[in-house]
Amino acid sequence: MSPYPARPLPLPAVYGHDEVALAFAAAIGEVMAPAEERIDGLDAVLDPWRAPPAFLDWLIRITGARVEPGWPEVLRRKAVDLAPRLAAHRGTPYGLLLEAREIHGWVPPGFALVVDDPGHVFPHDDQAPGAGRLLNVTLTAPAAEDQRALESSLTRLVRAHCPAHLPFKVTVTLAHKGPDERSQQG
């Protein structure tokens, strides 16, 4: 068994029989081993799904992920995972719809989110829009949902994605139960 650690610094073959050079390389390798192990484990710290909970707030800060107070750990991890894609589409209807789908779970058939975006390119011969432009966002949710909580969540979501110069209006409507649904519960 060799007296040198498993990770000595590699030396040219000419120093293969020099005990002083081998001992020096072994000492440097021993000193560097903890740092190399930490660097080898860095991907586990930067991965939102494998990072220890203690690193999650740090990941949220460095990625710019949008999280809200009270979110459970799994939603916070999902927000960190989604942050790069959302950053690329911040301020667009696609970014708003992406976060609504991935974070809030507002997906069909239970939910319908409609973004009426007044923004588009106006050619020189077309009349520019008036000053009263307004972004309308409408969420239709199942009847069992809490309308006030949904309005609050939707308002915060739209505020995060809507360009600052554009006023917005959110509307949450609860789907009415059909006659066959009422009779099944009755």
Side-chain angles (χ1 to χ4, degrees):
M1 193 155 171
S2 172
Y4 305 112
R7 298 174 85 164
L9 287 178
L11 293 175
V14 72
Y15 296 110
H17 299 292
D18 185 345
E19 289 296 318
V20 173
L22 290 174
F24 179 74
I28 295 294
E30 195 173 312
V31 168
M32 296 298 293
E36 288 178 2
E37 288 175 17
R38 291 228 173 154
I39 290 172
D40 289 345
L42 193 58
D43 64 327
V45 172
L46 296 176
D47 181 357
W49 298 107
R50 297 186 316 169
F55 282 96
L56 198 52
D57 287 333
W58 177 73
L59 280 175
I60 289 167
R61 280 194 311 272
I62 67 166
T63 61
R66 193 184 82 77
V67 297
E68 294 183 11
W71 276 9
E73 184 178 318
V74 69
L75 272 184
R76 296 170 75 216
R77 289 181 185 276
K78 193 181 276 191
V80 171
D81 191 33
L82 197 60
R85 285 195 300 164
L86 285 176
H89 299 287
R90 183 72 64 202
T92 66
Y94 177 79
L96 192 150
L97 293 168
L98 178 65
E99 184 172 345
R101 182 180 67 242
E102 297 291 327
I103 300 293
H104 297 282
W106 296 339
V107 294
F111 293 87
L113 185 62
V114 177
V115 179
D116 181 23
D117 183 16
H120 63 277
V121 177
F122 296 96
H124 69 291
D125 59 343
D126 201 6
Q127 186 100 20
R133 293 191 313 170
L134 183 70
L135 176 71
N136 289 302
V137 181
T138 305
L139 176 66
T140 304
E145 295 289 329
D146 179 3
Q147 187 171 4
R148 281 210 165 142
L150 287 174
E151 283 175 355
S152 177
S153 293
L154 183 59
T155 300
R156 288 191 306 271
L157 176 67
V158 173
R159 188 174 289 129
H161 287 276
C162 186
H165 69 281
L166 188 63
F168 64 88
K169 176 185 172 191
V170 299
T171 307
V172 174
T173 57
L174 299 180
H176 297 289
K177 296 178 184 175
D180 57 338
E181 293 178 41
R182 286 189 202 130
S183 61
Q184 289 175 355
Q185 290 181 353

